[in-house]
Amino acid sequence: MATVKITQTGSPIRRTKDQRATLIGLGLNKMHKTVELADTPEVRGMIRKVQHMVSVEA
């Protein structure tokens, strides 16, 4: 299965609770942390919600 590499580039300070929860759901909780997740529609939707705080590599 394809994977996607996600790196947190923005701070969750002064963001809404749902955006903070989305970052935690993706496994991101610190700046510049990188996780590799399966490329599913659910993960893509979470990335889209916090796209201004993450960078994505295929």
Side-chain angles (χ1 to χ4, degrees):
M1 180 165 220
T3 60
V4 62
K5 193 180 285 191
I6 309 162
T7 304
Q8 183 177 344
T9 58
S11 173
I13 295 173
R14 295 177 55 182
R15 304 292 180 186
T16 60
K17 288 182 182 181
D18 58 330
Q19 289 178 352
R20 290 181 192 203
T22 302
L23 284 175
I24 292 169
L26 287 170
L28 301 171
N29 59 353
K30 294 184 179 180
M31 292 288 291
H32 308 293
K33 184 173 181 179
T34 302
V35 294
E36 195 165 334
L37 300 172
D39 191 8
T40 63
E42 293 84 2
V43 171
R44 286 289 177 173
M46 293 172 80
I47 291 170
R48 195 172 304 115
K49 186 164 189 167
V50 292
Q51 64 186 347
H52 54 285
M53 291 189 283
V54 297
S55 63
V56 181
E57 299 174 29

Short mmCIF file of all heavy atoms in Angstrom, two decimals:
data_model
loop_
_atom_site.label_atom_id
_atom_site.label_comp_id
_atom_site.label_asym_id
_atom_site.label_seq_id
_atom_site.Cartn_x
_atom_site.Cartn_y
_atom_site.Cartn_z
N MET A 1 0.84 -1.18 0.00
CA MET A 1 0.00 0.00 0.00
C MET A 1 0.89 1.25 0.00
O MET A 1 1.93 1.30 0.65
CB MET A 1 -0.90 -0.03 1.22
CG MET A 1 -1.82 1.14 1.34
SD MET A 1 -3.11 0.83 2.54
CE MET A 1 -4.46 1.57 1.67
N ALA A 2 0.45 2.27 -0.66
CA ALA A 2 1.20 3.52 -0.75
C ALA A 2 1.20 4.23 0.60
O ALA A 2 0.27 4.12 1.38
CB ALA A 2 0.58 4.42 -1.81
N THR A 3 2.28 4.95 0.84
CA THR A 3 2.38 5.72 2.09
C THR A 3 2.64 7.18 1.75
O THR A 3 3.05 7.51 0.64
CB THR A 3 3.53 5.20 2.98
OG1 THR A 3 4.76 5.32 2.29
CG2 THR A 3 3.30 3.75 3.38
N VAL A 4 2.40 8.02 2.74
CA VAL A 4 2.62 9.45 2.59
C VAL A 4 3.40 9.92 3.82
O VAL A 4 3.13 9.47 4.94
CB VAL A 4 1.28 10.21 2.40
CG1 VAL A 4 0.38 10.06 3.59
CG2 VAL A 4 1.52 11.64 2.09
N LYS A 5 4.38 10.78 3.61
CA LYS A 5 5.21 11.29 4.69
C LYS A 5 4.74 12.71 5.01
O LYS A 5 4.71 13.57 4.14
CB LYS A 5 6.67 11.29 4.26
CG LYS A 5 7.64 11.51 5.40
CD LYS A 5 9.08 11.49 4.91
CE LYS A 5 9.51 10.08 4.62
NZ LYS A 5 10.97 10.01 4.39
N ILE A 6 4.39 12.93 6.29
CA ILE A 6 3.83 14.20 6.72
C ILE A 6 4.75 14.81 7.78
O ILE A 6 5.12 14.14 8.73
CB ILE A 6 2.43 14.01 7.32
CG1 ILE A 6 1.56 13.19 6.39
CG2 ILE A 6 1.79 15.34 7.64
CD1 ILE A 6 0.36 12.59 7.04
N THR A 7 5.10 16.09 7.61
CA THR A 7 5.95 16.80 8.55
C THR A 7 5.20 18.03 9.06
O THR A 7 4.66 18.79 8.26
CB THR A 7 7.26 17.24 7.89
OG1 THR A 7 7.91 16.09 7.34
CG2 THR A 7 8.18 17.92 8.89
N GLN A 8 5.20 18.21 10.38
CA GLN A 8 4.55 19.39 10.95
C GLN A 8 5.47 20.59 10.79
O GLN A 8 6.61 20.58 11.24
CB GLN A 8 4.23 19.16 12.42
CG GLN A 8 3.50 20.33 13.05
CD GLN A 8 3.12 20.08 14.49
OE1 GLN A 8 3.14 18.95 14.95
NE2 GLN A 8 2.78 21.14 15.19
N THR A 9 4.97 21.64 10.14
CA THR A 9 5.76 22.84 9.91
C THR A 9 5.19 24.07 10.60
O THR A 9 5.86 25.09 10.67
CB THR A 9 5.85 23.14 8.40
OG1 THR A 9 4.54 23.30 7.89
CG2 THR A 9 6.57 22.04 7.67
N GLY A 10 3.98 23.97 11.11
CA GLY A 10 3.35 25.11 11.77
C GLY A 10 2.96 24.78 13.19
O GLY A 10 2.73 23.63 13.54
N SER A 11 2.87 25.81 14.01
CA SER A 11 2.53 25.64 15.41
C SER A 11 1.01 25.59 15.60
O SER A 11 0.28 26.34 14.96
CB SER A 11 3.11 26.80 16.22
OG SER A 11 2.66 26.74 17.54
N PRO A 12 0.53 24.74 16.52
CA PRO A 12 -0.91 24.70 16.81
C PRO A 12 -1.36 25.80 17.77
O PRO A 12 -2.54 25.87 18.11
CB PRO A 12 -1.09 23.32 17.43
CG PRO A 12 0.21 23.02 18.05
CD PRO A 12 1.25 23.65 17.16
N ILE A 13 -0.44 26.66 18.19
CA ILE A 13 -0.81 27.76 19.08
C ILE A 13 -1.78 28.69 18.34
O ILE A 13 -1.58 29.02 17.17
CB ILE A 13 0.45 28.53 19.54
CG1 ILE A 13 1.32 27.62 20.39
CG2 ILE A 13 0.06 29.79 20.31
CD1 ILE A 13 2.66 28.22 20.75
N ARG A 14 -2.82 29.11 19.02
CA ARG A 14 -3.86 29.99 18.48
C ARG A 14 -4.64 29.34 17.33
O ARG A 14 -5.14 30.03 16.45
CB ARG A 14 -3.30 31.34 18.06
CG ARG A 14 -2.76 32.14 19.24
CD ARG A 14 -2.15 33.43 18.82
NE ARG A 14 -3.11 34.22 18.05
CZ ARG A 14 -2.85 35.39 17.51
NH1 ARG A 14 -1.68 35.94 17.68
NH2 ARG A 14 -3.75 36.05 16.82
N ARG A 15 -4.73 28.03 17.33
CA ARG A 15 -5.56 27.30 16.35
C ARG A 15 -6.77 26.73 17.07
O ARG A 15 -6.79 26.60 18.30
CB ARG A 15 -4.77 26.16 15.71
CG ARG A 15 -3.49 26.58 15.04
CD ARG A 15 -3.77 27.42 13.82
NE ARG A 15 -2.49 27.80 13.21
CZ ARG A 15 -2.37 28.61 12.21
NH1 ARG A 15 -3.42 29.17 11.66
NH2 ARG A 15 -1.20 28.91 11.72
N THR A 16 -7.76 26.33 16.32
CA THR A 16 -8.96 25.78 16.92
C THR A 16 -8.69 24.39 17.50
O THR A 16 -7.73 23.72 17.12
CB THR A 16 -10.10 25.69 15.89
OG1 THR A 16 -9.69 24.85 14.83
CG2 THR A 16 -10.44 27.08 15.36
N LYS A 17 -9.57 23.98 18.41
CA LYS A 17 -9.40 22.68 19.07
C LYS A 17 -9.45 21.53 18.08
O LYS A 17 -8.74 20.54 18.23
CB LYS A 17 -10.47 22.49 20.14
CG LYS A 17 -10.27 23.34 21.35
CD LYS A 17 -11.35 23.06 22.38
CE LYS A 17 -11.17 23.96 23.58
NZ LYS A 17 -12.18 23.70 24.61
N ASP A 18 -10.30 21.65 17.06
CA ASP A 18 -10.40 20.55 16.10
C ASP A 18 -9.14 20.43 15.26
O ASP A 18 -8.74 19.32 14.89
CB ASP A 18 -11.65 20.68 15.23
CG ASP A 18 -11.70 21.98 14.45
OD1 ASP A 18 -11.17 22.98 14.94
OD2 ASP A 18 -12.27 21.99 13.35
N GLN A 19 -8.46 21.55 14.96
CA GLN A 19 -7.21 21.46 14.21
C GLN A 19 -6.11 20.85 15.08
O GLN A 19 -5.31 20.04 14.60
CB GLN A 19 -6.78 22.84 13.72
CG GLN A 19 -7.65 23.36 12.61
CD GLN A 19 -7.26 24.74 12.14
OE1 GLN A 19 -6.42 25.40 12.74
NE2 GLN A 19 -7.87 25.17 11.06
N ARG A 20 -6.08 21.19 16.35
CA ARG A 20 -5.11 20.58 17.26
C ARG A 20 -5.35 19.08 17.37
O ARG A 20 -4.42 18.29 17.34
CB ARG A 20 -5.22 21.20 18.65
CG ARG A 20 -4.74 22.61 18.73
CD ARG A 20 -4.87 23.14 20.14
NE ARG A 20 -4.68 24.58 20.16
CZ ARG A 20 -4.32 25.24 21.23
NH1 ARG A 20 -4.12 24.62 22.37
NH2 ARG A 20 -4.15 26.54 21.18
N ALA A 21 -6.62 18.69 17.49
CA ALA A 21 -6.97 17.28 17.59
C ALA A 21 -6.61 16.53 16.30
O ALA A 21 -6.19 15.37 16.35
CB ALA A 21 -8.45 17.13 17.89
N THR A 22 -6.75 17.18 15.16
CA THR A 22 -6.39 16.56 13.89
C THR A 22 -4.89 16.28 13.83
O THR A 22 -4.47 15.22 13.38
CB THR A 22 -6.83 17.44 12.71
OG1 THR A 22 -8.24 17.65 12.80
CG2 THR A 22 -6.51 16.79 11.39
N LEU A 23 -4.08 17.23 14.29
CA LEU A 23 -2.64 17.01 14.32
C LEU A 23 -2.29 15.82 15.21
O LEU A 23 -1.46 14.98 14.85
CB LEU A 23 -1.90 18.26 14.82
CG LEU A 23 -1.77 19.41 13.84
CD1 LEU A 23 -1.13 20.61 14.53
CD2 LEU A 23 -0.96 19.01 12.63
N ILE A 24 -2.92 15.74 16.37
CA ILE A 24 -2.67 14.62 17.28
C ILE A 24 -3.12 13.32 16.64
O ILE A 24 -2.45 12.29 16.74
CB ILE A 24 -3.36 14.86 18.63
CG1 ILE A 24 -2.68 16.03 19.34
CG2 ILE A 24 -3.33 13.62 19.50
CD1 ILE A 24 -3.41 16.55 20.56
N GLY A 25 -4.25 13.35 15.93
CA GLY A 25 -4.74 12.17 15.23
C GLY A 25 -3.79 11.69 14.15
O GLY A 25 -3.69 10.49 13.87
N LEU A 26 -3.07 12.62 13.56
CA LEU A 26 -2.06 12.26 12.55
C LEU A 26 -0.76 11.80 13.19
O LEU A 26 0.13 11.33 12.49
CB LEU A 26 -1.77 13.47 11.64
CG LEU A 26 -2.85 13.84 10.64
CD1 LEU A 26 -2.54 15.18 10.00
CD2 LEU A 26 -2.97 12.77 9.57
N GLY A 27 -0.65 11.94 14.51
CA GLY A 27 0.57 11.53 15.20
C GLY A 27 1.60 12.64 15.28
O GLY A 27 2.78 12.38 15.54
N LEU A 28 1.16 13.88 15.08
CA LEU A 28 2.07 15.02 15.14
C LEU A 28 1.77 15.84 16.38
O LEU A 28 0.62 16.19 16.63
CB LEU A 28 1.89 15.89 13.89
CG LEU A 28 2.14 15.20 12.57
CD1 LEU A 28 1.71 16.09 11.43
CD2 LEU A 28 3.59 14.82 12.42
N ASN A 29 2.80 16.14 17.16
CA ASN A 29 2.58 16.96 18.34
C ASN A 29 3.74 17.90 18.60
O ASN A 29 3.70 18.67 19.55
CB ASN A 29 2.33 16.09 19.57
CG ASN A 29 3.47 15.16 19.87
OD1 ASN A 29 4.41 15.05 19.09
ND2 ASN A 29 3.41 14.46 20.98
N LYS A 30 4.78 17.86 17.78
CA LYS A 30 5.91 18.76 17.93
C LYS A 30 6.33 19.27 16.56
O LYS A 30 6.16 18.59 15.56
CB LYS A 30 7.10 18.04 18.58
CG LYS A 30 6.81 17.62 20.00
CD LYS A 30 8.02 17.02 20.64
CE LYS A 30 7.68 16.64 22.07
NZ LYS A 30 8.81 16.05 22.76
N MET A 31 6.90 20.46 16.57
CA MET A 31 7.37 21.05 15.32
C MET A 31 8.43 20.17 14.67
O MET A 31 9.28 19.61 15.36
CB MET A 31 7.95 22.44 15.59
CG MET A 31 6.91 23.46 16.00
SD MET A 31 5.86 23.96 14.68
CE MET A 31 7.01 24.85 13.68
N HIS A 32 8.38 20.04 13.37
CA HIS A 32 9.34 19.32 12.54
C HIS A 32 9.34 17.81 12.77
O HIS A 32 10.27 17.13 12.37
CB HIS A 32 10.75 19.88 12.70
CG HIS A 32 10.80 21.37 12.50
ND1 HIS A 32 10.56 21.96 11.28
CD2 HIS A 32 11.00 22.37 13.38
CE1 HIS A 32 10.65 23.28 11.42
NE2 HIS A 32 10.89 23.56 12.68
N LYS A 33 8.31 17.29 13.43
CA LYS A 33 8.17 15.85 13.58
C LYS A 33 7.60 15.28 12.28
O LYS A 33 6.73 15.89 11.65
CB LYS A 33 7.25 15.52 14.75
CG LYS A 33 7.13 14.04 15.01
CD LYS A 33 6.37 13.74 16.27
CE LYS A 33 6.31 12.23 16.47
NZ LYS A 33 5.60 11.89 17.69
N THR A 34 8.09 14.12 11.89
CA THR A 34 7.66 13.49 10.65
C THR A 34 7.07 12.11 10.95
O THR A 34 7.63 11.36 11.75
CB THR A 34 8.85 13.33 9.68
OG1 THR A 34 9.39 14.64 9.43
CG2 THR A 34 8.42 12.72 8.37
N VAL A 35 5.96 11.81 10.32
CA VAL A 35 5.33 10.49 10.42
C VAL A 35 5.05 9.97 9.02
O VAL A 35 4.90 10.75 8.07
CB VAL A 35 4.03 10.51 11.25
CG1 VAL A 35 4.30 10.86 12.69
CG2 VAL A 35 3.02 11.45 10.67
N GLU A 36 4.99 8.67 8.90
CA GLU A 36 4.67 8.03 7.62
C GLU A 36 3.40 7.22 7.82
O GLU A 36 3.36 6.31 8.65
CB GLU A 36 5.83 7.13 7.18
CG GLU A 36 5.73 6.73 5.74
CD GLU A 36 7.03 6.17 5.21
OE1 GLU A 36 8.10 6.52 5.74
OE2 GLU A 36 6.95 5.38 4.24
N LEU A 37 2.35 7.57 7.08
CA LEU A 37 1.05 6.93 7.22
C LEU A 37 0.60 6.37 5.88
O LEU A 37 1.08 6.78 4.83
CB LEU A 37 0.02 7.95 7.72
CG LEU A 37 0.29 8.60 9.07
CD1 LEU A 37 -0.73 9.71 9.32
CD2 LEU A 37 0.22 7.57 10.18
N ALA A 38 -0.36 5.45 5.95
CA ALA A 38 -0.95 4.90 4.73
C ALA A 38 -1.71 5.99 4.00
O ALA A 38 -2.34 6.86 4.62
CB ALA A 38 -1.88 3.74 5.08
N ASP A 39 -1.66 5.98 2.69
CA ASP A 39 -2.31 6.99 1.87
C ASP A 39 -3.77 6.58 1.64
O ASP A 39 -4.12 5.98 0.63
CB ASP A 39 -1.57 7.15 0.54
CG ASP A 39 -2.04 8.35 -0.24
OD1 ASP A 39 -2.82 9.15 0.32
OD2 ASP A 39 -1.62 8.51 -1.40
N THR A 40 -4.63 6.93 2.61
CA THR A 40 -6.05 6.60 2.53
C THR A 40 -6.87 7.89 2.41
O THR A 40 -6.37 8.97 2.73
CB THR A 40 -6.50 5.84 3.79
OG1 THR A 40 -6.33 6.70 4.92
CG2 THR A 40 -5.70 4.56 3.99
N PRO A 41 -8.12 7.79 2.00
CA PRO A 41 -8.96 8.99 1.92
C PRO A 41 -9.13 9.67 3.28
O PRO A 41 -9.23 10.90 3.35
CB PRO A 41 -10.30 8.46 1.41
CG PRO A 41 -9.96 7.21 0.69
CD PRO A 41 -8.79 6.62 1.42
N GLU A 42 -9.16 8.89 4.36
CA GLU A 42 -9.30 9.46 5.69
C GLU A 42 -8.10 10.31 6.06
O GLU A 42 -8.24 11.44 6.56
CB GLU A 42 -9.48 8.35 6.74
CG GLU A 42 -10.78 7.59 6.61
CD GLU A 42 -10.70 6.47 5.58
OE1 GLU A 42 -9.63 6.24 4.98
OE2 GLU A 42 -11.74 5.83 5.37
N VAL A 43 -6.90 9.81 5.78
CA VAL A 43 -5.68 10.56 6.07
C VAL A 43 -5.59 11.79 5.18
O VAL A 43 -5.23 12.88 5.64
CB VAL A 43 -4.44 9.66 5.91
CG1 VAL A 43 -3.16 10.47 6.00
CG2 VAL A 43 -4.43 8.56 6.97
N ARG A 44 -5.96 11.66 3.93
CA ARG A 44 -5.94 12.81 3.01
C ARG A 44 -6.89 13.90 3.49
O ARG A 44 -6.59 15.09 3.40
CB ARG A 44 -6.32 12.38 1.60
CG ARG A 44 -5.24 11.63 0.88
CD ARG A 44 -4.13 12.56 0.52
NE ARG A 44 -3.03 11.84 -0.11
CZ ARG A 44 -1.98 12.43 -0.64
NH1 ARG A 44 -1.88 13.74 -0.63
NH2 ARG A 44 -1.02 11.73 -1.16
N GLY A 45 -8.05 13.53 4.04
CA GLY A 45 -8.98 14.51 4.57
C GLY A 45 -8.42 15.23 5.78
O GLY A 45 -8.60 16.44 5.94
N MET A 46 -7.73 14.49 6.64
CA MET A 46 -7.10 15.12 7.81
C MET A 46 -5.99 16.07 7.38
O MET A 46 -5.85 17.16 7.94
CB MET A 46 -6.56 14.04 8.74
CG MET A 46 -7.63 13.20 9.39
SD MET A 46 -6.97 11.80 10.28
CE MET A 46 -6.44 12.58 11.79
N ILE A 47 -5.23 15.68 6.37
CA ILE A 47 -4.16 16.55 5.86
C ILE A 47 -4.76 17.83 5.30
O ILE A 47 -4.26 18.93 5.52
CB ILE A 47 -3.33 15.82 4.79
CG1 ILE A 47 -2.51 14.69 5.43
CG2 ILE A 47 -2.42 16.78 4.05
CD1 ILE A 47 -1.87 13.77 4.43
N ARG A 48 -5.86 17.70 4.57
CA ARG A 48 -6.50 18.86 3.97
C ARG A 48 -6.98 19.85 5.04
O ARG A 48 -6.94 21.06 4.85
CB ARG A 48 -7.67 18.41 3.10
CG ARG A 48 -8.17 19.48 2.16
CD ARG A 48 -9.20 18.95 1.16
NE ARG A 48 -8.70 17.82 0.39
CZ ARG A 48 -9.19 16.57 0.46
NH1 ARG A 48 -10.20 16.29 1.26
NH2 ARG A 48 -8.68 15.60 -0.27
N LYS A 49 -7.40 19.32 6.19
CA LYS A 49 -7.90 20.18 7.25
C LYS A 49 -6.80 21.03 7.88
O LYS A 49 -7.06 22.14 8.32
CB LYS A 49 -8.57 19.33 8.33
CG LYS A 49 -9.25 20.12 9.39
CD LYS A 49 -10.19 19.27 10.19
CE LYS A 49 -11.02 20.13 11.09
NZ LYS A 49 -12.13 19.42 11.65
N VAL A 50 -5.58 20.50 7.92
CA VAL A 50 -4.46 21.23 8.55
C VAL A 50 -3.35 21.49 7.54
O VAL A 50 -2.18 21.55 7.90
CB VAL A 50 -3.92 20.48 9.79
CG1 VAL A 50 -4.94 20.48 10.90
CG2 VAL A 50 -3.49 19.07 9.43
N GLN A 51 -3.70 21.67 6.28
CA GLN A 51 -2.70 21.81 5.22
C GLN A 51 -1.79 23.01 5.41
O GLN A 51 -0.68 23.04 4.89
CB GLN A 51 -3.37 21.85 3.86
CG GLN A 51 -4.26 23.05 3.63
CD GLN A 51 -5.00 22.96 2.32
OE1 GLN A 51 -4.68 22.12 1.48
NE2 GLN A 51 -6.00 23.80 2.15
N HIS A 52 -2.25 24.02 6.15
CA HIS A 52 -1.43 25.20 6.39
C HIS A 52 -0.39 24.96 7.49
O HIS A 52 0.47 25.81 7.70
CB HIS A 52 -2.33 26.37 6.78
CG HIS A 52 -3.24 26.08 7.93
ND1 HIS A 52 -4.36 25.29 7.81
CD2 HIS A 52 -3.17 26.44 9.21
CE1 HIS A 52 -4.94 25.19 8.98
NE2 HIS A 52 -4.24 25.89 9.86
N MET A 53 -0.42 23.81 8.16
CA MET A 53 0.53 23.51 9.23
C MET A 53 1.41 22.30 8.95
O MET A 53 2.21 21.93 9.79
CB MET A 53 -0.22 23.27 10.55
CG MET A 53 -0.86 24.50 11.12
SD MET A 53 -1.50 24.22 12.78
CE MET A 53 -3.01 23.33 12.44
N VAL A 54 1.25 21.67 7.80
CA VAL A 54 2.03 20.48 7.48
C VAL A 54 2.58 20.56 6.06
O VAL A 54 2.09 21.31 5.23
CB VAL A 54 1.16 19.18 7.61
CG1 VAL A 54 0.71 18.99 9.03
CG2 VAL A 54 0.00 19.19 6.66
N SER A 55 3.62 19.77 5.83
CA SER A 55 4.11 19.58 4.46
C SER A 55 4.05 18.09 4.17
O SER A 55 4.26 17.26 5.07
CB SER A 55 5.53 20.11 4.30
OG SER A 55 6.42 19.39 5.11
N VAL A 56 3.73 17.76 2.93
CA VAL A 56 3.47 16.37 2.55
C VAL A 56 4.41 15.95 1.43
O VAL A 56 4.61 16.68 0.46
CB VAL A 56 2.01 16.21 2.09
CG1 VAL A 56 1.72 14.78 1.70
CG2 VAL A 56 1.06 16.69 3.15
N GLU A 57 4.97 14.75 1.57
CA GLU A 57 5.77 14.12 0.53
C GLU A 57 5.12 12.81 0.17
O GLU A 57 4.71 12.07 1.06
CB GLU A 57 7.20 13.87 1.00
CG GLU A 57 7.97 15.11 1.39
CD GLU A 57 9.32 14.76 1.97
OE1 GLU A 57 9.88 13.73 1.60
OE2 GLU A 57 9.79 15.53 2.81
N ALA A 58 5.01 12.52 -1.09
CA ALA A 58 4.38 11.27 -1.53
C ALA A 58 5.30 10.08 -1.33
O ALA A 58 6.46 10.18 -1.17
CB ALA A 58 3.99 11.35 -2.98
#
